[in-house]
Amino acid sequence: MMNQFKFEKLIIWQKAMDFGEDINDISKSFPVKEKFNLSSQISRASDSIALNISEGSIGQSNPEQYKFIGYSIRSLAEVVTCLFKAKRREYITSEQFDSFYLQSHSLMNMMIAFRKNLK
């Protein structure tokens, strides 16, 4: 059962899946008071990246996929803002922030390049 769906072959989907798991793991270390706030927000936003990539790839047209990649990019921007919040609140180290920031930037560039090819 490998590559049954079109999106499974997409490198951006694979990277977004890994990124979402890494974000989920780090959010578990946030204070308990953030469970329904920042922890939940960053996890949901990071999951939305891969979810929107897959949803768009099932669509019937490039404009549909283009739209959903846009949603993924917005979710990634939300994750980055949550990372800034986590760093300011000292829930993550500067090194952790820098690592996630670089991963985010790389994924953003990949999604933008992918989206350009849909026009």
Side-chain angles (χ1 to χ4, degrees):
M1 189 179 96
M2 293 191 36
N3 294 334
Q4 298 293 314
F5 292 92
K6 179 181 169 184
F7 60 81
E8 292 177 82
K9 298 173 189 161
L10 298 174
I11 300 296
I12 57 171
W13 179 80
Q14 295 167 12
K15 294 215 177 267
M17 288 290 288
D18 292 340
F19 182 73
E21 296 311 306
D22 292 343
I23 291 290
N24 185 57
D25 288 345
I26 197 75
S27 72
K28 291 176 186 174
S29 69
F30 292 3
V32 175
K33 71 176 185 170
E34 292 289 6
K35 183 176 182 179
F36 300 108
N37 295 313
L38 193 61
S39 297
S40 175
Q41 191 74 24
I42 197 170
S43 291
R44 286 183 289 114
S46 66
D47 285 346
S48 288
I49 300 167
L51 290 167
N52 280 304
I53 292 168
S54 62
E55 190 171 352
S57 77
I58 298 299
Q60 301 300 312
S61 66
N62 279 2
E64 186 80 358
Q65 192 167 15
Y66 186 93
K67 178 175 75 172
F68 278 93
I69 294 295
Y71 297 154
S72 293
I73 290 168
R74 290 184 189 117
S75 293
L76 181 56
E78 189 176 336
V79 170
V80 171
T81 299
C82 289
L83 288 167
F84 272 104
K85 289 282 188 185
K87 181 182 168 193
R88 285 177 168 216
R89 295 175 187 176
E90 300 180 352
Y91 302 159
I92 59 174
T93 66
S94 291
E95 292 77 18
Q96 288 171 314
F97 173 86
D98 291 346
S99 175
F100 281 115
Y101 189 87
L102 289 173
Q103 287 178 62
S104 299
H105 193 261
S106 175
L107 185 55
M108 177 80 70
N109 287 337
M110 290 174 71
M111 288 192 294
I112 290 169
F114 181 85
R115 188 171 68 164
K116 282 181 184 174
N117 288 325
L118 295 172
K119 279 199 155 186

